[in-house]
Amino acid sequence: MAKIVQVTARAVVSYGVNPVARFLLKIGVTPNAVTVAGTVGVLIGSYFGARGHLLAGTVIVTAFALTDALDGTMARMRGGTGKFGALLDSSMDRLADGAVFGAVVFYMAGKGNPYGGTIAALISLVAGQVVSYVKARAQSLGLNADVGLAERLERLLIVGVGGLLGAAGLDWGLPAALWVLAALSLVTVFQRLIHAARTEVKELPE
């Protein structure tokens, strides 16, 4: 699934994101500004979702989540991402993800925890943070954990589909998506840990 999404993402970058990135750089907008603006937009969308406006929340979050590809493209066009830019991007991603799933938890709890959706949302929230942490920590140790079924984009897409199903009046849609996401996120955590362990074994001297 990750490979399919990556191919699709490259196509989007080629035909949509690149021209926008060039235009923003031309008028003086920085990648860091786009990163922060995207996070603010996700926070606003999360608020709408938490208040029960699933369609508006899903559309806003999805639109602003696309800035994750935009700021990276802008940085590459400028000659690479600086250390602070990379730190800011990762920090804003964690904040945005926390807001999205925190909003889902709030909404599910307010609806009376249908189909155990609140529990699934909490698992998704915690597991999603661990997925990102394992990769970052592995990289800092010189290991490779860049694998997994449910990376950040996949997680946002799955919860977005659930939000749209819920907005269409299907009460089971969002909880079902959350349970799928919870399972995939936990699998991804172990995928990354196992891959990192194998990387270390290969690098040990004979």
Side-chain angles (χ1 to χ4, degrees), residues 25-179:
L25 288 172
K26 185 177 180 179
I27 63 176
V29 178
T30 66
N32 289 347
V34 172
T35 299
V36 173
T39 302
V40 171
V42 170
L43 293 177
I44 293 172
S46 298
Y47 172 79
F48 277 98
R51 302 301 298 178
H53 304 293
L54 294 184
L55 180 59
T58 300
V59 171
I60 294 171
V61 167
T62 301
F64 280 95
L66 292 176
T67 60
D68 194 47
L70 181 59
D71 58 9
T73 301
M74 292 172 66
R76 287 191 293 273
M77 288 179 174
R78 291 181 61 179
T81 303
K83 292 182 179 179
F84 175 75
L87 174 62
L88 179 66
D89 186 60
S90 296
S91 300
M92 292 297 101
D93 283 351
R94 302 292 78 73
L95 179 60
D97 290 354
V100 169
F101 288 99
V104 173
V105 169
F106 183 87
Y107 172 76
M108 285 282 101
K111 298 290 284 186
N113 189 29
Y115 304 97
T118 304
I119 298 171
L122 286 169
I123 295 172
S124 298
L125 172 61
V126 174
Q129 299 296 319
V130 177
V131 165
S132 300
Y133 173 79
V134 171
K135 180 179 178 179
R137 183 58 175 155
Q139 289 175 338
S140 72
L141 295 171
L143 302 175
N144 186 344
D146 192 13
V147 297
L149 291 173
E151 298 186 14
R152 184 170 187 262
L153 180 56
E154 286 85 359
R155 295 197 301 273
L156 291 176
L157 287 174
I158 291 171
V159 75
V161 170
L164 291 177
L165 291 174
L170 301 174
D171 293 338
W172 55 266
L174 183 54
L178 290 168
W179 278 114

